[in-house]
Amino acid sequence: MPAKTKKLRIKQVRSTIGRKYDQGATIRALGLKRINDVVEQEDNPVIRGMIFKVKHLVEVEEI
């Protein structure tokens, strides 16, 4: 039986307008499209790095 992986619930709370291009691209790569969008992603170093880059634009909750 495989180990249960943790997930992260990521919510966009601020706009990407006026931000650097790579921050907008990171938000889109996480699967977010607009303010108040919520996605669930697996907890791994790649996703954690993306969240760190846009931490001022999102809220994160472990589930």
Side-chain angles (χ1 to χ4, degrees), residues 3-10 30 39-52 60-63:
K4 191 173 183 180
T5 59
K6 282 188 173 182
K7 290 204 159 214
L8 299 172
R9 183 172 289 138
I10 308 163
L30 284 168
V39 294
E40 289 183 6
Q41 296 280 358
E42 293 209 15
D43 187 2
N44 62 49
V46 174
I47 298 298
R48 289 281 182 166
M50 294 168 78
I51 291 169
F52 182 79
V60 182
E61 173 187 351
E62 292 184 7
I63 55 173

Side-chain angles (χ1 to χ4, degrees), residues 21-44:
Y21 176 81
D22 59 339
Q23 292 178 0
T26 302
I27 288 286
R28 288 190 296 278
L30 284 168
L32 299 165
K33 295 182 171 131
R34 59 187 62 87
I35 294 176
N36 290 325
D37 259 4
V38 178
V39 294
E40 289 183 6
Q41 296 280 358
E42 293 209 15
D43 187 2
N44 62 49

